[in-house]
């Protein structure tokens, strides 16, 4: 694990939250991207070497909608940057963590991503992400 790449924050209203985080961080979001397979709209802010990813539901039955319903707004996941996501997934499996994905999948912001189940990580949904290089 190289560093915290971003924090994912679940929000009800993307427009309002974009304005709020623009005020908070003093910078506008540099990218907005829908991940249709996850039923989520994302918005990214750069903050020094790290990023903030806002997540709003686009599918009322998707994982973000369910999270908002159960827990309300707030920190949804912590994402760590890795060099070799497959090797890192193997390592974590051997360490006894439960992975939510069999294989890396394409996430937002040009990344391969995989998730560790929060039940195996003290209640924290952990994302591994590796930049996609063509
Ligand atoms: Zn993320």
């Amino acid at each position: 694990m190289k560093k915290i790449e971003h924090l994912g924050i679940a929000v009800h209203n993307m427009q309002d939250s974009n304005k709020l985080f623009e005020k908070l961080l003093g910078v506008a979001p540099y990218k907005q991207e829908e991940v249709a397979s996850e039923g989520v709209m994302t918005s990214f802010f750069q903050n020094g070497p790290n990023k903030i990813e806002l997540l709003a539901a686009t599918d009322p039955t998707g994982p973000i909608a369910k999270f908002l319903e159960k827990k309300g707004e707030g920190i949804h996941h912590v994402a760590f940057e890795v060099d070799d996501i497959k090797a890192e997934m193997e390592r974590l499996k051997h360490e006894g963590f439960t992975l939510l994905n069999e294989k890396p999948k394409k996430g937002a912001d040009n990344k391969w991503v995989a998730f560790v189940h929060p039940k195996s990580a003290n209640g924290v949904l952990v994302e591994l992400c590796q930049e996609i290089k063509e």
Side-chain angles (χ1 to χ4, degrees), residues 6 8 44 53 55 77 79 115 127:
H6 64 269
F44 286 89
E53 174 186 31
L55 307 150
H77 64 269
F115 289 90
E127 176 184 335

Side-chain angles (χ1 to χ4, degrees), residues 34-41 56-66 68:
E34 185 173 4
V35 183
S37 61
E38 297 291 305
V40 62
M41 176 58 87
T58 55
D59 172 358
T61 63
I64 296 302
K66 283 185 188 147
L68 285 165

Side-chain angles (χ1 to χ4, degrees), residues 7-63:
L7 294 179
I9 297 174
V11 304
H12 283 302
N13 183 312
M14 186 59 90
Q15 237 183 338
D16 292 350
S17 298
N18 269 335
K19 280 187 210 141
L20 184 89
F21 276 82
E22 185 167 343
K23 268 194 250 173
L24 180 73
L25 300 170
V27 62
Y30 68 88
K31 180 191 267 189
Q32 306 210 40
E33 188 179 345
E34 185 173 4
V35 183
S37 61
E38 297 291 305
V40 62
M41 176 58 87
T42 66
S43 180
F44 286 89
F45 294 79
Q46 191 72 44
N47 176 243
N50 310 107
K51 295 165 188 163
I52 299 290
E53 174 186 31
L54 301 184
L55 307 150
T58 55
D59 172 358
T61 63

Side-chain angles (χ1 to χ4, degrees), residues 77-90:
H77 64 269
V78 180
F80 294 93
E81 185 180 336
V82 300
D83 280 329
D84 184 342
I85 194 165
K86 286 183 184 162
E88 206 60 37
M89 288 169 78
E90 272 310 302

